[in-house]
């Protein structure tokens, strides 16, 4: 999340202060390759509609519409992928990390994380989870078999191997929810990204079922590669017989 925050900062700095530097690089490039430069103070002419009066200068078009527009789009994409809710969830989940003898363990963060799943933790579960977490951290920090664990996936396996998933059932429930979270998030993001590519103007009249099938084929490319042409032919031949 620190990387995401620093990326936002750098993008904003480039948007505000990077135009002159980029324009200087363009000037050097044009001189080196004998390219005629545009006069930035002249009226901008839309190459697709040359007779239309734009009312803006060439500098306005390239700086505000193009240069700033690209950075605005990048920041918007970043905010969509790392919204405030998902970012908060990732930060709270970090408290489960077993690295360096559970250095990042934080009772308050884990309780806040559990409150985000009201269907899995009611008020009574939350009260018991507080006790579960205190006993759990005191236990695993004194057990050498947990000292070399680096990921929450390894932690979940070790919990089962040592039967601590039975001793601390509420903690283990929270752990399973966090393990599933990255997969669910990635799948949703992939589907949204695929939707932008699949649902084009030519596909605007597809019904929901057909559009869903197209998105699944695009997202699950590895699975689709396992399907052979012969299987497809046999499938459609079998469907064809139904109409006779």
């Amino acid at each position: 999340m620190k990387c995401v925050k620093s990326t936002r900062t750098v993008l904003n700095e480039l948007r505000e202060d990077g135009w002159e530097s980029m324009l200087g690089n363009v000037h050097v490039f044009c001189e080196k390759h004998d390219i005629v430069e545009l006069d930035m103070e002249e009226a901008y002419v839309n190459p697709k509609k040359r007779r239309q009066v734009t009312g803006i200068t060439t500098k306005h078009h390239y700086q505000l519409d193009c240069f700033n527009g690209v950075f605005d789009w990048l920041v918007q994409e970043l905010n969509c992928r790392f919204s405030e809710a998902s970012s908060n969830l990732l930060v709270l989940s970090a408290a489960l990390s077993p690295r360096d003898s559970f250095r990042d363990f934080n009772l308050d963060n884990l309780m806040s994380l559990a409150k985000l799943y009201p269907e899995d933790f009611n008020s009574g579960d939350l009260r018991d989870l507080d006790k579960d977490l205190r006993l759990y951290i005191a236990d695993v920090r004194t057990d050498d078999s947990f000292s070399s664990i680096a990921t929450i996936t390894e932690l979940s396996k070790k919990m089962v191997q040592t039967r601590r998933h039975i001793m601390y059932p509420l903690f283990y429930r929270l752990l399973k929810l966090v393990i599933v979270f990255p997969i669910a998030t990635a799948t949703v993001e992939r589907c949204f990204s695929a939707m932008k590519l699949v649902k084009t103007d030519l596909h605007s009249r597809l019904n929901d079922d057909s559009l869903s099938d197209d998105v699944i084929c695009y997202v699950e490319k590895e699975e689709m590669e396992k399907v052979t042409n012969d299987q497809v032919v046999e499938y459609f031949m079998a469907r064809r017989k139904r109409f006779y």
Side-chain angles (χ1 to χ4, degrees), residues 9-201:
T9 301
V10 171
L11 288 175
N12 288 329
E13 289 177 352
L14 287 173
R15 184 186 186 281
E16 297 297 327
D17 306 320
W19 167 253
E20 294 298 334
S21 175
M22 190 274 296
L23 199 61
N25 292 334
V26 171
H27 177 71
V28 172
F29 182 86
C30 290
E31 283 190 342
K32 181 179 179 180
H33 298 279
D34 295 326
I35 299 174
V36 179
E37 295 184 56
L38 296 174
D39 186 348
M40 290 295 171
E41 300 304 324
E42 286 186 351
Y44 171 72
V45 178
N46 187 341
K48 295 182 179 180
K49 299 178 181 179
R50 294 186 175 277
R51 296 183 179 181
Q52 182 182 28
V53 179
T54 60
I56 60 174
T57 62
T58 302
K59 179 181 179 181
H60 182 281
H61 170 71
Y62 285 106
Q63 182 177 3
L64 298 183
D65 298 341
C66 298
F67 185 80
N68 288 359
V70 169
F71 286 104
D72 291 341
W73 174 78
L74 290 172
V75 172
Q76 182 180 0
E77 286 292 314
L78 198 64
N79 291 336
C80 289
R81 293 183 177 274
F82 297 95
S83 63
E84 184 178 354
S86 61
S87 299
N88 185 42
L89 192 55
L90 288 171
V91 171
L92 296 177
S93 301
L96 286 169
S97 174
R99 291 179 181 272
D100 301 328
S101 298
F102 303 86
R103 179 191 61 187
D104 295 324
F105 178 85
N106 185 297
L107 180 62
D108 293 334
N109 282 357
L110 291 179
M111 292 301 299
S112 298
L113 178 62
K115 292 177 183 178
L116 297 177
Y117 298 96
E119 295 183 1
D120 296 281
F121 294 95
N122 55 37
S123 57
D125 291 335
L126 290 174
R127 182 179 61 253
D128 294 336
L129 177 62
D130 183 274
K131 301 175 183 177
D132 237 23
L133 292 173
R134 295 177 188 275
L135 292 172
Y136 152 79
I137 193 61
D139 183 9
V140 295
R141 278 178 172 169
T142 57
D143 191 334
D144 293 337
S145 64
F146 283 82
S147 60
S148 59
I149 295 177
T151 67
I152 58 174
T153 304
E154 295 175 0
L155 175 61
S156 65
K157 293 179 180 178
K158 182 63 69 174
M159 292 282 291
V160 174
Q161 291 172 1
T162 59
R163 300 183 65 80
R164 282 182 170 83
H165 68 298
I166 299 176
M167 298 170 61
Y168 312 109
L170 293 175
F171 169 78
Y172 189 66
R173 184 189 305 173
L174 182 63
L175 184 62
K176 288 191 294 183
L177 289 171
V178 173
I179 290 175
V180 173
F181 168 69
I183 301 174
T185 303
T187 302
V188 171
E189 292 296 340
R190 287 169 62 194
C191 288
F192 276 116
S193 299
M195 185 67 73
K196 296 178 182 178
L197 299 174
V198 173
K199 191 176 182 180
T200 62
D201 293 338

Side-chain angles (χ1 to χ4, degrees), residues 176-241:
K176 288 191 294 183
L177 289 171
V178 173
I179 290 175
V180 173
F181 168 69
I183 301 174
T185 303
T187 302
V188 171
E189 292 296 340
R190 287 169 62 194
C191 288
F192 276 116
S193 299
M195 185 67 73
K196 296 178 182 178
L197 299 174
V198 173
K199 191 176 182 180
T200 62
D201 293 338
L202 296 177
H203 290 167
S204 60
R205 295 186 179 182
L206 287 178
N207 58 41
D208 292 342
D209 292 337
S210 298
L211 188 61
S212 176
D213 292 340
D214 288 347
V215 172
I216 291 175
C217 292
Y218 184 87
V219 172
E220 301 296 343
K221 293 180 180 178
E222 295 181 359
E223 294 299 323
M224 293 305 300
E225 289 176 355
K226 300 176 183 178
V227 180
T228 64
N229 292 336
D230 291 338
Q231 290 174 322
V232 175
V233 171
E234 291 175 2
Y235 172 78
F236 280 101
M237 288 299 293
R239 288 176 59 87
R240 183 181 179 183
K241 293 179 181 178

